[in-house]
Amino acid sequence: AGVTHLRSDTGGAIVSAQVLIAEETPRGEPYSASDQSATLLHELGHALGIPHSDHPFALMSARNVAVSLTPHD
C-alpha cells in the first residue's frame, strides 16, 4: 500500500526520496488511519535507506504487520 522512489548520487548517497501511500485498497475500500500510518513509517524507513527486515514482526518487514518501531528494527 506504499512505495518509495529513491534517487542517489554517483557515490550511492540518497539525494531525494518520493514516498507514495495508497488511501484505498485496489477494491476501493479505504485503508484505516493506523494502516496508513504504519505504511508511512515503513516507507520513510526506506527513504532513509533502511532495507526490508527478515524478522516477520519488524516494521521494516516486507509484509509489515507492526504499527510502530519494534526491537527488531
Side-chain angles (χ1 to χ4, degrees):
V3 65
T4 299
H5 299 286
L6 297 177
R7 200 175 103 232
S8 303
D9 64 17
T10 56
I14 297 169
V15 295
S16 69
Q18 180 184 32
V19 175
L20 303 170
I21 306 299
E23 295 179 359
E24 55 187 40
T25 70
R27 289 183 260 167
E29 300 162 352
Y31 283 111
S32 69
S34 63
D35 283 344
Q36 287 181 327
S37 176
T39 300
L40 178 60
L41 288 173
H42 176 94
E43 295 303 329
L44 288 175
H46 287 313
L48 294 171
I50 301 170
H52 282 137
S53 170
D54 290 334
H55 196 283
F57 297 111
L59 179 67
M60 292 308 297
S61 169
R63 297 283 183 192
N64 179 23
V65 294
V67 294
S68 64
L69 287 173
T70 72
H72 308 292
D73 293 302

